[in-house]
Amino acid sequence: MTRRLLIAVLVVAMTIMTIMGSAAAETRSWLHVPVPAQVRPQVGLNEAVAFGPDRAWAVGADAVGREAPGFPLVLRWDGTAWQRQSLPGIGWQGELLSIAATSPTAVWSVGRDSAGGAHLLRYDGISWRESRPPSGVVLTKVVAGGGETWLIGSRAGTQVLLRWDEAGWRDVPVPPGAVYGLHILAANDVWAAGATDSGAAVSHWNGQAWQQTVVDGFPRSAVSSVLAISPTEVWAGGTAGFVGGPPGRPIPPLLVRWDGQEWGRVNVPTDFGSVSSLVPTTSGELAWVSVARSQRWGPPGSTPPLVPGPDFLSWNGQSFAEYSEPAVSGEGDSSVLRLAPVPGTTAVWSVGRADGPEGTFAPRILRFG
């Protein structure tokens, strides 16, 4: 009798724990993570990269005034809190636009000063230092993957791509049109997201040449993010473009998918906004899609006609689950959402900037998991 009673108690306890665990899983949400107290007002974050639960970087600009360029800003996550990092010898005004890394001791960030000059910073595992940028190139983005590091920029008004080969930065041919984002799997397996006069375009580099496909034929459409999962599954996201309608009407998001045969448009549960990031799971599948300025039509006759849409979409292989960013006292919604997955976990960071009072803005850091 005692043994049966003990088994019954254990069964009940395990059932309760299962229910509680399921409820906790169902209520997982994005959480707001504060920035360091020493960060001054009017801060914007542009991009982040993570190496694990206790190590991540975020870059942007600090103390940006209405007519002041601000100063380059680097934040570091130590597993408990974000801390501002010192940048000895870096005294120019401007901002850091992008960050990427091939390892914790090879982290790159590109920036631009108030005069439009390019800056390239490198972290070697000990400190941040200025590195000589490619001559005559205005830098906009750095991307890493597959042991490779590439730069996106322009030279004399013409777009350029550059690849780091330990001896320096070497030019790589550029596909037609504009390139806004890259996904690098290897030196001979690179995907580019961008646009041409014919519409949004995705290009693939095989180490010798680019093969380009227009994935959405509307002339004003463009994709800025691309995620290559396999030769038969590639995703790209951006904006679909818009003509006509009332002044100020927002632009619809664009999400497309390659199935090995053709590109097809994927429906997302929001009517307006821009797909700003695509990030994978630990196994390489699509995990999250972020939609900046997400809005959708409200009920017929509602005022205003548009209501907030989901900011984050979680993909389970068949459909999207919708998530909204948490409300932050004294601040509005995010205008920039850049995702950074945490390797080896299901966690993901989102960094950017949010609307502040009277036309100002504030830094925004969110975390899921």
Side-chain angles (χ1 to χ4, degrees):
M1 178 66 70
T2 302
R3 186 171 182 271
R4 290 180 179 177
L5 180 60
L6 178 59
I7 292 174
V9 170
L10 289 173
V11 169
V12 172
M14 291 177 67
T15 301
I16 292 174
M17 291 176 65
T18 300
I19 294 173
M20 292 177 64
S22 298
E26 291 173 357
T27 57
R28 293 179 72 190
S29 61
W30 285 84
L31 301 176
H32 176 244
V33 182
V35 298
Q38 66 267 34
V39 170
R40 294 165 289 191
Q42 284 282 91
V43 170
L45 297 172
N46 292 321
E47 211 165 60
V49 63
F51 303 105
D54 61 351
R55 190 178 303 178
W57 298 95
V59 297
D62 185 19
V64 181
R66 294 184 183 274
E67 297 181 2
F71 297 88
L73 174 67
V74 176
L75 302 180
R76 181 174 182 173
W77 173 256
D78 62 8
T80 302
W82 286 93
Q83 303 291 337
R84 181 172 186 159
Q85 297 298 289
S86 62
L87 299 174
I90 300 174
W92 47 272
Q93 287 187 273
E95 68 177 320
L96 294 173
L97 304 170
S98 178
I99 186 170
T102 53
S103 75
T105 58
V107 187
W108 296 88
S109 182
V110 301
R112 191 175 305 165
D113 62 34
S114 57
H119 290 268
L120 182 62
L121 276 59
R122 184 172 185 176
Y123 180 76
D124 59 6
I126 299 175
S127 62
W128 286 93
R129 291 186 173 86
E130 290 262 15
S131 180
R132 185 184 299 276
S135 178
V137 176
V138 176
L139 299 173
T140 57
K141 192 173 181 65
V142 57
V143 184
E148 294 277 304
T149 304
W150 289 36
L151 298 174
I152 302 176
S154 62
R155 182 189 293 119
T158 301
Q159 188 163 52
V160 294
L161 296 175
L162 301 108
R163 172 180 176 265
W164 177 253
D165 67 0
E166 297 302 332
W169 295 100
R170 309 299 182 192
D171 278 65
V172 178
V174 182
V179 172
Y180 302 124
L182 298 170
H183 185 200
I184 307 171
L185 299 173
N188 60 353
D189 191 2
V190 181
W191 294 82
T196 68
D197 292 340
S198 300
V202 173
S203 306
H204 179 254
W205 172 255
N206 63 7
Q208 300 294 326
W210 291 97
Q211 181 179 0
Q212 185 176 79
T213 303
V214 174
V215 297
D216 186 82
F218 192 84
R220 297 187 184 182
S221 64
V223 285
S224 58
S225 299
V226 59
L227 177 64
I229 296 169
S230 73
T232 59
E233 185 176 4
V234 182
W235 296 76
T239 55
F242 186 79
V243 172
R249 179 174 175 176
I251 297 174
L254 176 65
L255 183 64
V256 293
R257 183 182 187 182
W258 167 254
D259 63 5
Q261 299 294 324
E262 60 183 359
W263 287 90
R265 189 160 178 176
V266 179
N267 292 327
V268 293
T270 187
D271 298 309
F272 304 102
S274 173
V275 173
S276 54
S277 290
L278 307 171
V279 297
T281 64
T282 54
S283 60
E285 303 294 321
L286 175 67
W288 288 96
V289 176
S290 62
V291 185
R293 296 296 194 189
S294 176
Q295 293 180 296
R296 54 187 166 196
W297 292 111
S302 61
T303 302
L306 298 176
V307 298
D311 304 292
F312 305 102
L313 304 174
S314 174
W315 177 251
N316 65 6
Q318 300 293 328
S319 61
F320 288 110
E322 304 176 25
Y323 292 83
S324 296
E325 64 175 318
V328 179
S329 178
E331 298 178 8
D333 295 333
S334 292
S335 58
V336 177
L337 298 165
R338 302 292 185 193
L339 301 178
V342 181
T345 75
T346 59
V348 60
W349 290 101
S350 172
V351 303
R353 62 186 68 191
D355 297 331
E358 300 180 355
T360 62
F361 58 87
R364 177 65 55 85
I365 302 180
L366 306 172
R367 180 184 171 99
F368 187 94

PDB file of all heavy atoms in Angstrom, residues 186-221:
ATOM      1  N   ALA A 186      31.098  29.638 -47.332  1.00  0.00           N
ATOM      2  CA  ALA A 186      32.491  29.313 -47.638  1.00  0.00           C
ATOM      3  C   ALA A 186      32.966  30.317 -48.675  1.00  0.00           C
ATOM      4  O   ALA A 186      32.180  31.101 -49.215  1.00  0.00           O
ATOM      5  CB  ALA A 186      32.614  27.887 -48.176  1.00  0.00           C
ATOM      6  N   ALA A 187      34.267  30.284 -48.976  1.00  0.00           N
ATOM      7  CA  ALA A 187      34.817  31.228 -49.944  1.00  0.00           C
ATOM      8  C   ALA A 187      34.178  31.073 -51.315  1.00  0.00           C
ATOM      9  O   ALA A 187      34.096  32.033 -52.087  1.00  0.00           O
ATOM     10  CB  ALA A 187      36.335  31.040 -50.057  1.00  0.00           C
ATOM     11  N   ASN A 188      33.697  29.874 -51.622  1.00  0.00           N
ATOM     12  CA  ASN A 188      33.068  29.622 -52.922  1.00  0.00           C
ATOM     13  C   ASN A 188      31.577  29.342 -52.800  1.00  0.00           C
ATOM     14  O   ASN A 188      30.982  28.701 -53.661  1.00  0.00           O
ATOM     15  CB  ASN A 188      33.758  28.444 -53.622  1.00  0.00           C
ATOM     16  CG  ASN A 188      33.659  27.160 -52.810  1.00  0.00           C
ATOM     17  OD1 ASN A 188      33.192  27.167 -51.669  1.00  0.00           O
ATOM     18  ND2 ASN A 188      34.116  26.062 -53.393  1.00  0.00           N
ATOM     19  N   ASP A 189      30.980  29.833 -51.703  1.00  0.00           N
ATOM     20  CA  ASP A 189      29.546  29.626 -51.489  1.00  0.00           C
ATOM     21  C   ASP A 189      28.993  30.807 -50.695  1.00  0.00           C
ATOM     22  O   ASP A 189      28.871  30.753 -49.468  1.00  0.00           O
ATOM     23  CB  ASP A 189      29.322  28.305 -50.738  1.00  0.00           C
ATOM     24  CG  ASP A 189      27.857  27.874 -50.716  1.00  0.00           C
ATOM     25  OD1 ASP A 189      27.009  28.575 -51.304  1.00  0.00           O
ATOM     26  OD2 ASP A 189      27.567  26.826 -50.105  1.00  0.00           O
ATOM     27  N   VAL A 190      28.693  31.886 -51.422  1.00  0.00           N
ATOM     28  CA  VAL A 190      28.243  33.136 -50.808  1.00  0.00           C
ATOM     29  C   VAL A 190      26.935  33.557 -51.461  1.00  0.00           C
ATOM     30  O   VAL A 190      26.805  33.528 -52.690  1.00  0.00           O
ATOM     31  CB  VAL A 190      29.299  34.253 -50.968  1.00  0.00           C
ATOM     32  CG1 VAL A 190      28.818  35.533 -50.305  1.00  0.00           C
ATOM     33  CG2 VAL A 190      30.641  33.813 -50.404  1.00  0.00           C
ATOM     34  N   TRP A 191      25.979  33.968 -50.628  1.00  0.00           N
ATOM     35  CA  TRP A 191      24.687  34.446 -51.115  1.00  0.00           C
ATOM     36  C   TRP A 191      24.573  35.942 -50.830  1.00  0.00           C
ATOM     37  O   TRP A 191      24.946  36.395 -49.745  1.00  0.00           O
ATOM     38  CB  TRP A 191      23.546  33.691 -50.450  1.00  0.00           C
ATOM     39  CG  TRP A 191      23.498  32.233 -50.825  1.00  0.00           C
ATOM     40  CD1 TRP A 191      24.234  31.223 -50.285  1.00  0.00           C
ATOM     41  CD2 TRP A 191      22.696  31.651 -51.850  1.00  0.00           C
ATOM     42  NE1 TRP A 191      23.932  30.034 -50.900  1.00  0.00           N
ATOM     43  CE2 TRP A 191      22.987  30.263 -51.869  1.00  0.00           C
ATOM     44  CE3 TRP A 191      21.744  32.148 -52.744  1.00  0.00           C
ATOM     45  CZ2 TRP A 191      22.370  29.380 -52.737  1.00  0.00           C
ATOM     46  CZ3 TRP A 191      21.120  31.271 -53.619  1.00  0.00           C
ATOM     47  CH2 TRP A 191      21.430  29.902 -53.618  1.00  0.00           C
ATOM     48  N   ALA A 192      24.067  36.696 -51.802  1.00  0.00           N
ATOM     49  CA  ALA A 192      23.925  38.136 -51.668  1.00  0.00           C
ATOM     50  C   ALA A 192      22.466  38.536 -51.844  1.00  0.00           C
ATOM     51  O   ALA A 192      21.775  38.046 -52.737  1.00  0.00           O
ATOM     52  CB  ALA A 192      24.779  38.860 -52.709  1.00  0.00           C
ATOM     53  N   ALA A 193      21.996  39.434 -50.969  1.00  0.00           N
ATOM     54  CA  ALA A 193      20.645  39.979 -51.051  1.00  0.00           C
ATOM     55  C   ALA A 193      20.731  41.420 -51.521  1.00  0.00           C
ATOM     56  O   ALA A 193      21.587  42.179 -51.059  1.00  0.00           O
ATOM     57  CB  ALA A 193      19.962  39.912 -49.685  1.00  0.00           C
ATOM     58  N   GLY A 194      19.857  41.799 -52.448  1.00  0.00           N
ATOM     59  CA  GLY A 194      19.923  43.162 -52.951  1.00  0.00           C
ATOM     60  C   GLY A 194      18.775  43.515 -53.860  1.00  0.00           C
ATOM     61  O   GLY A 194      17.644  43.043 -53.693  1.00  0.00           O
ATOM     62  N   ALA A 195      19.064  44.352 -54.841  1.00  0.00           N
ATOM     63  CA  ALA A 195      18.030  44.826 -55.763  1.00  0.00           C
ATOM     64  C   ALA A 195      18.654  45.242 -57.084  1.00  0.00           C
ATOM     65  O   ALA A 195      19.831  45.612 -57.144  1.00  0.00           O
ATOM     66  CB  ALA A 195      17.278  46.014 -55.155  1.00  0.00           C
ATOM     67  N   THR A 196      17.859  45.152 -58.129  1.00  0.00           N
ATOM     68  CA  THR A 196      18.233  45.647 -59.454  1.00  0.00           C
ATOM     69  C   THR A 196      17.103  46.547 -59.948  1.00  0.00           C
ATOM     70  O   THR A 196      16.089  46.718 -59.271  1.00  0.00           O
ATOM     71  CB  THR A 196      18.427  44.490 -60.449  1.00  0.00           C
ATOM     72  OG1 THR A 196      17.143  43.882 -60.699  1.00  0.00           O
ATOM     73  CG2 THR A 196      19.377  43.443 -59.893  1.00  0.00           C
ATOM     74  N   ASP A 197      17.265  47.095 -61.134  1.00  0.00           N
ATOM     75  CA  ASP A 197      16.183  47.899 -61.715  1.00  0.00           C
ATOM     76  C   ASP A 197      14.931  47.069 -61.960  1.00  0.00           C
ATOM     77  O   ASP A 197      13.831  47.610 -62.073  1.00  0.00           O
ATOM     78  CB  ASP A 197      16.643  48.522 -63.034  1.00  0.00           C
ATOM     79  CG  ASP A 197      17.719  49.577 -62.842  1.00  0.00           C
ATOM     80  OD1 ASP A 197      17.839  50.097 -61.717  1.00  0.00           O
ATOM     81  OD2 ASP A 197      18.446  49.875 -63.810  1.00  0.00           O
ATOM     82  N   SER A 198      15.089  45.762 -62.026  1.00  0.00           N
ATOM     83  CA  SER A 198      13.947  44.875 -62.284  1.00  0.00           C
ATOM     84  C   SER A 198      13.260  44.399 -61.014  1.00  0.00           C
ATOM     85  O   SER A 198      12.204  43.767 -61.080  1.00  0.00           O
ATOM     86  CB  SER A 198      14.409  43.654 -63.096  1.00  0.00           C
ATOM     87  OG  SER A 198      14.962  44.050 -64.339  1.00  0.00           O
ATOM     88  N   GLY A 199      13.859  44.668 -59.837  1.00  0.00           N
ATOM     89  CA  GLY A 199      13.242  44.247 -58.592  1.00  0.00           C
ATOM     90  C   GLY A 199      14.238  43.607 -57.643  1.00  0.00           C
ATOM     91  O   GLY A 199      15.456  43.623 -57.868  1.00  0.00           O
ATOM     92  N   ALA A 200      13.714  43.029 -56.560  1.00  0.00           N
ATOM     93  CA  ALA A 200      14.549  42.377 -55.559  1.00  0.00           C
ATOM     94  C   ALA A 200      15.316  41.221 -56.184  1.00  0.00           C
ATOM     95  O   ALA A 200      14.780  40.472 -56.994  1.00  0.00           O
ATOM     96  CB  ALA A 200      13.689  41.879 -54.403  1.00  0.00           C
ATOM     97  N   ALA A 201      16.597  41.063 -55.780  1.00  0.00           N
ATOM     98  CA  ALA A 201      17.444  40.047 -56.403  1.00  0.00           C
ATOM     99  C   ALA A 201      18.284  39.321 -55.363  1.00  0.00           C
ATOM    100  O   ALA A 201      18.727  39.911 -54.380  1.00  0.00           O
ATOM    101  CB  ALA A 201      18.362  40.683 -57.448  1.00  0.00           C
ATOM    102  N   VAL A 202      18.482  38.036 -55.601  1.00  0.00           N
ATOM    103  CA  VAL A 202      19.389  37.217 -54.803  1.00  0.00           C
ATOM    104  C   VAL A 202      20.432  36.639 -55.751  1.00  0.00           C
ATOM    105  O   VAL A 202      20.098  36.141 -56.830  1.00  0.00           O
ATOM    106  CB  VAL A 202      18.644  36.085 -54.069  1.00  0.00           C
ATOM    107  CG1 VAL A 202      19.636  35.141 -53.389  1.00  0.00           C
ATOM    108  CG2 VAL A 202      17.672  36.665 -53.041  1.00  0.00           C
ATOM    109  N   SER A 203      21.701  36.708 -55.334  1.00  0.00           N
ATOM    110  CA  SER A 203      22.801  36.228 -56.183  1.00  0.00           C
ATOM    111  C   SER A 203      23.626  35.210 -55.414  1.00  0.00           C
ATOM    112  O   SER A 203      23.752  35.278 -54.188  1.00  0.00           O
ATOM    113  CB  SER A 203      23.691  37.393 -56.616  1.00  0.00           C
ATOM    114  OG  SER A 203      22.939  38.416 -57.241  1.00  0.00           O
ATOM    115  N   HIS A 204      24.209  34.248 -56.181  1.00  0.00           N
ATOM    116  CA  HIS A 204      25.060  33.231 -55.566  1.00  0.00           C
ATOM    117  C   HIS A 204      26.444  33.256 -56.196  1.00  0.00           C
ATOM    118  O   HIS A 204      26.586  33.275 -57.423  1.00  0.00           O
ATOM    119  CB  HIS A 204      24.452  31.835 -55.728  1.00  0.00           C
ATOM    120  CG  HIS A 204      25.293  30.761 -55.127  1.00  0.00           C
ATOM    121  ND1 HIS A 204      26.045  29.866 -55.874  1.00  0.00           N
ATOM    122  CD2 HIS A 204      25.544  30.454 -53.820  1.00  0.00           C
ATOM    123  CE1 HIS A 204      26.699  29.049 -55.055  1.00  0.00           C
ATOM    124  NE2 HIS A 204      26.417  29.380 -53.821  1.00  0.00           N
ATOM    125  N   TRP A 205      27.481  33.271 -55.338  1.00  0.00           N
ATOM    126  CA  TRP A 205      28.883  33.290 -55.762  1.00  0.00           C
ATOM    127  C   TRP A 205      29.476  31.895 -55.570  1.00  0.00           C
ATOM    128  O   TRP A 205      29.425  31.330 -54.468  1.00  0.00           O
ATOM    129  CB  TRP A 205      29.646  34.308 -54.922  1.00  0.00           C
ATOM    130  CG  TRP A 205      31.132  34.326 -55.093  1.00  0.00           C
ATOM    131  CD1 TRP A 205      32.066  33.839 -54.228  1.00  0.00           C
ATOM    132  CD2 TRP A 205      31.871  34.887 -56.190  1.00  0.00           C
ATOM    133  NE1 TRP A 205      33.340  34.057 -54.713  1.00  0.00           N
ATOM    134  CE2 TRP A 205      33.249  34.700 -55.914  1.00  0.00           C
ATOM    135  CE3 TRP A 205      31.495  35.521 -57.368  1.00  0.00           C
ATOM    136  CZ2 TRP A 205      34.247  35.136 -56.779  1.00  0.00           C
ATOM    137  CZ3 TRP A 205      32.494  35.953 -58.233  1.00  0.00           C
ATOM    138  CH2 TRP A 205      33.850  35.761 -57.934  1.00  0.00           C
ATOM    139  N   ASN A 206      30.021  31.329 -56.643  1.00  0.00           N
ATOM    140  CA  ASN A 206      30.611  29.983 -56.578  1.00  0.00           C
ATOM    141  C   ASN A 206      32.130  30.007 -56.531  1.00  0.00           C
ATOM    142  O   ASN A 206      32.782  28.983 -56.715  1.00  0.00           O
ATOM    143  CB  ASN A 206      30.142  29.140 -57.760  1.00  0.00           C
ATOM    144  CG  ASN A 206      30.606  29.702 -59.103  1.00  0.00           C
ATOM    145  OD1 ASN A 206      31.392  30.661 -59.152  1.00  0.00           O
ATOM    146  ND2 ASN A 206      30.126  29.124 -60.184  1.00  0.00           N
ATOM    147  N   GLY A 207      32.669  31.185 -56.280  1.00  0.00           N
ATOM    148  CA  GLY A 207      34.118  31.340 -56.243  1.00  0.00           C
ATOM    149  C   GLY A 207      34.690  31.878 -57.529  1.00  0.00           C
ATOM    150  O   GLY A 207      35.836  32.328 -57.565  1.00  0.00           O
ATOM    151  N   GLN A 208      33.875  31.850 -58.601  1.00  0.00           N
ATOM    152  CA  GLN A 208      34.326  32.329 -59.902  1.00  0.00           C
ATOM    153  C   GLN A 208      33.402  33.396 -60.489  1.00  0.00           C
ATOM    154  O   GLN A 208      33.858  34.341 -61.123  1.00  0.00           O
ATOM    155  CB  GLN A 208      34.413  31.152 -60.882  1.00  0.00           C
ATOM    156  CG  GLN A 208      35.364  30.059 -60.454  1.00  0.00           C
ATOM    157  CD  GLN A 208      36.814  30.520 -60.427  1.00  0.00           C
ATOM    158  OE1 GLN A 208      37.226  31.340 -61.246  1.00  0.00           O
ATOM    159  NE2 GLN A 208      37.597  29.999 -59.481  1.00  0.00           N
ATOM    160  N   ALA A 209      32.103  33.238 -60.272  1.00  0.00           N
ATOM    161  CA  ALA A 209      31.139  34.160 -60.882  1.00  0.00           C
ATOM    162  C   ALA A 209      29.851  34.174 -60.067  1.00  0.00           C
ATOM    163  O   ALA A 209      29.592  33.266 -59.258  1.00  0.00           O
ATOM    164  CB  ALA A 209      30.840  33.741 -62.316  1.00  0.00           C
ATOM    165  N   TRP A 210      29.060  35.219 -60.287  1.00  0.00           N
ATOM    166  CA  TRP A 210      27.756  35.343 -59.641  1.00  0.00           C
ATOM    167  C   TRP A 210      26.657  34.835 -60.567  1.00  0.00           C
ATOM    168  O   TRP A 210      26.698  35.079 -61.767  1.00  0.00           O
ATOM    169  CB  TRP A 210      27.456  36.801 -59.298  1.00  0.00           C
ATOM    170  CG  TRP A 210      28.298  37.393 -58.221  1.00  0.00           C
ATOM    171  CD1 TRP A 210      29.414  38.157 -58.374  1.00  0.00           C
ATOM    172  CD2 TRP A 210      28.076  37.276 -56.807  1.00  0.00           C
ATOM    173  NE1 TRP A 210      29.911  38.531 -57.157  1.00  0.00           N
ATOM    174  CE2 TRP A 210      29.109  38.011 -56.168  1.00  0.00           C
ATOM    175  CE3 TRP A 210      27.114  36.640 -56.021  1.00  0.00           C
ATOM    176  CZ2 TRP A 210      29.189  38.117 -54.783  1.00  0.00           C
ATOM    177  CZ3 TRP A 210      27.206  36.750 -54.646  1.00  0.00           C
ATOM    178  CH2 TRP A 210      28.234  37.476 -54.038  1.00  0.00           C
ATOM    179  N   GLN A 211      25.697  34.149 -60.000  1.00  0.00           N
ATOM    180  CA  GLN A 211      24.464  33.804 -60.700  1.00  0.00           C
ATOM    181  C   GLN A 211      23.324  34.520 -59.984  1.00  0.00           C
ATOM    182  O   GLN A 211      23.079  34.266 -58.803  1.00  0.00           O
ATOM    183  CB  GLN A 211      24.216  32.299 -60.701  1.00  0.00           C
ATOM    184  CG  GLN A 211      22.936  31.912 -61.443  1.00  0.00           C
ATOM    185  CD  GLN A 211      22.710  30.410 -61.452  1.00  0.00           C
ATOM    186  OE1 GLN A 211      23.509  29.646 -60.915  1.00  0.00           O
ATOM    187  NE2 GLN A 211      21.616  30.002 -62.065  1.00  0.00           N
ATOM    188  N   GLN A 212      22.663  35.405 -60.692  1.00  0.00           N
ATOM    189  CA  GLN A 212      21.658  36.263 -60.069  1.00  0.00           C
ATOM    190  C   GLN A 212      20.247  35.901 -60.521  1.00  0.00           C
ATOM    191  O   GLN A 212      20.019  35.561 -61.688  1.00  0.00           O
ATOM    192  CB  GLN A 212      21.931  37.731 -60.400  1.00  0.00           C
ATOM    193  CG  GLN A 212      21.012  38.722 -59.702  1.00  0.00           C
ATOM    194  CD  GLN A 212      21.403  40.161 -59.992  1.00  0.00           C
ATOM    195  OE1 GLN A 212      21.090  40.684 -61.059  1.00  0.00           O
ATOM    196  NE2 GLN A 212      22.108  40.798 -59.058  1.00  0.00           N
ATOM    197  N   THR A 213      19.296  36.009 -59.586  1.00  0.00           N
ATOM    198  CA  THR A 213      17.885  35.772 -59.879  1.00  0.00           C
ATOM    199  C   THR A 213      17.055  36.908 -59.298  1.00  0.00           C
ATOM    200  O   THR A 213      17.234  37.276 -58.126  1.00  0.00           O
ATOM    201  CB  THR A 213      17.406  34.444 -59.252  1.00  0.00           C
ATOM    202  OG1 THR A 213      18.221  33.372 -59.720  1.00  0.00           O
ATOM    203  CG2 THR A 213      15.956  34.172 -59.616  1.00  0.00           C
ATOM    204  N   VAL A 214      16.165  37.457 -60.106  1.00  0.00           N
ATOM    205  CA  VAL A 214      15.204  38.442 -59.600  1.00  0.00           C
ATOM    206  C   VAL A 214      14.104  37.657 -58.894  1.00  0.00           C
ATOM    207  O   VAL A 214      13.395  36.865 -59.509  1.00  0.00           O
ATOM    208  CB  VAL A 214      14.632  39.303 -60.735  1.00  0.00           C
ATOM    209  CG1 VAL A 214      13.518  40.214 -60.211  1.00  0.00           C
ATOM    210  CG2 VAL A 214      15.735  40.142 -61.377  1.00  0.00           C
ATOM    211  N   VAL A 215      13.978  37.866 -57.574  1.00  0.00           N
ATOM    212  CA  VAL A 215      13.051  37.058 -56.771  1.00  0.00           C
ATOM    213  C   VAL A 215      11.705  37.738 -56.572  1.00  0.00           C
ATOM    214  O   VAL A 215      10.750  37.119 -56.103  1.00  0.00           O
ATOM    215  CB  VAL A 215      13.678  36.721 -55.406  1.00  0.00           C
ATOM    216  CG1 VAL A 215      14.933  35.859 -55.598  1.00  0.00           C
ATOM    217  CG2 VAL A 215      14.021  37.985 -54.625  1.00  0.00           C
ATOM    218  N   ASP A 216      11.623  39.020 -56.909  1.00  0.00           N
ATOM    219  CA  ASP A 216      10.343  39.739 -56.896  1.00  0.00           C
ATOM    220  C   ASP A 216      10.427  40.815 -57.963  1.00  0.00           C
ATOM    221  O   ASP A 216      11.326  41.656 -57.924  1.00  0.00           O
ATOM    222  CB  ASP A 216      10.065  40.368 -55.524  1.00  0.00           C
ATOM    223  CG  ASP A 216       8.677  40.991 -55.448  1.00  0.00           C
ATOM    224  OD1 ASP A 216       7.699  40.250 -55.203  1.00  0.00           O
ATOM    225  OD2 ASP A 216       8.569  42.209 -55.652  1.00  0.00           O
ATOM    226  N   GLY A 217       9.504  40.772 -58.910  1.00  0.00           N
ATOM    227  CA  GLY A 217       9.626  41.611 -60.095  1.00  0.00           C
ATOM    228  C   GLY A 217       9.126  43.028 -59.957  1.00  0.00           C
ATOM    229  O   GLY A 217       9.154  43.771 -60.940  1.00  0.00           O
ATOM    230  N   PHE A 218       8.689  43.435 -58.762  1.00  0.00           N
ATOM    231  CA  PHE A 218       8.259  44.828 -58.615  1.00  0.00           C
ATOM    232  C   PHE A 218       9.491  45.727 -58.583  1.00  0.00           C
ATOM    233  O   PHE A 218      10.420  45.467 -57.804  1.00  0.00           O
ATOM    234  CB  PHE A 218       7.448  44.997 -57.332  1.00  0.00           C
ATOM    235  CG  PHE A 218       6.731  46.313 -57.251  1.00  0.00           C
ATOM    236  CD1 PHE A 218       5.502  46.471 -57.867  1.00  0.00           C
ATOM    237  CD2 PHE A 218       7.292  47.388 -56.594  1.00  0.00           C
ATOM    238  CE1 PHE A 218       4.846  47.690 -57.809  1.00  0.00           C
ATOM    239  CE2 PHE A 218       6.645  48.610 -56.526  1.00  0.00           C
ATOM    240  CZ  PHE A 218       5.407  48.765 -57.142  1.00  0.00           C
ATOM    241  N   PRO A 219       9.544  46.783 -59.394  1.00  0.00           N
ATOM    242  CA  PRO A 219      10.777  47.572 -59.531  1.00  0.00           C
ATOM    243  C   PRO A 219      11.298  48.195 -58.239  1.00  0.00           C
ATOM    244  O   PRO A 219      12.487  48.452 -58.119  1.00  0.00           O
ATOM    245  CB  PRO A 219      10.391  48.643 -60.549  1.00  0.00           C
ATOM    246  CG  PRO A 219       9.286  48.021 -61.345  1.00  0.00           C
ATOM    247  CD  PRO A 219       8.517  47.186 -60.367  1.00  0.00           C
ATOM    248  N   ARG A 220      10.420  48.462 -57.282  1.00  0.00           N
ATOM    249  CA  ARG A 220      10.882  49.095 -56.052  1.00  0.00           C
ATOM    250  C   ARG A 220      11.128  48.099 -54.918  1.00  0.00           C
ATOM    251  O   ARG A 220      11.413  48.496 -53.795  1.00  0.00           O
ATOM    252  CB  ARG A 220       9.862  50.142 -55.586  1.00  0.00           C
ATOM    253  CG  ARG A 220       9.682  51.299 -56.558  1.00  0.00           C
ATOM    254  CD  ARG A 220       8.796  52.367 -55.981  1.00  0.00           C
ATOM    255  NE  ARG A 220       8.553  53.439 -56.939  1.00  0.00           N
ATOM    256  CZ  ARG A 220       7.830  54.528 -56.687  1.00  0.00           C
ATOM    257  NH1 ARG A 220       7.276  54.667 -55.507  1.00  0.00           N
ATOM    258  NH2 ARG A 220       7.654  55.442 -57.617  1.00  0.00           N
ATOM    259  N   SER A 221      11.006  46.845 -55.189  1.00  0.00           N
ATOM    260  CA  SER A 221      11.228  45.849 -54.142  1.00  0.00           C
ATOM    261  C   SER A 221      12.722  45.607 -53.949  1.00  0.00           C
ATOM    262  O   SER A 221      13.530  45.826 -54.854  1.00  0.00           O
ATOM    263  CB  SER A 221      10.522  44.541 -54.487  1.00  0.00           C
ATOM    264  OG  SER A 221      11.075  43.964 -55.657  1.00  0.00           O
TER     265      SER A 221
END
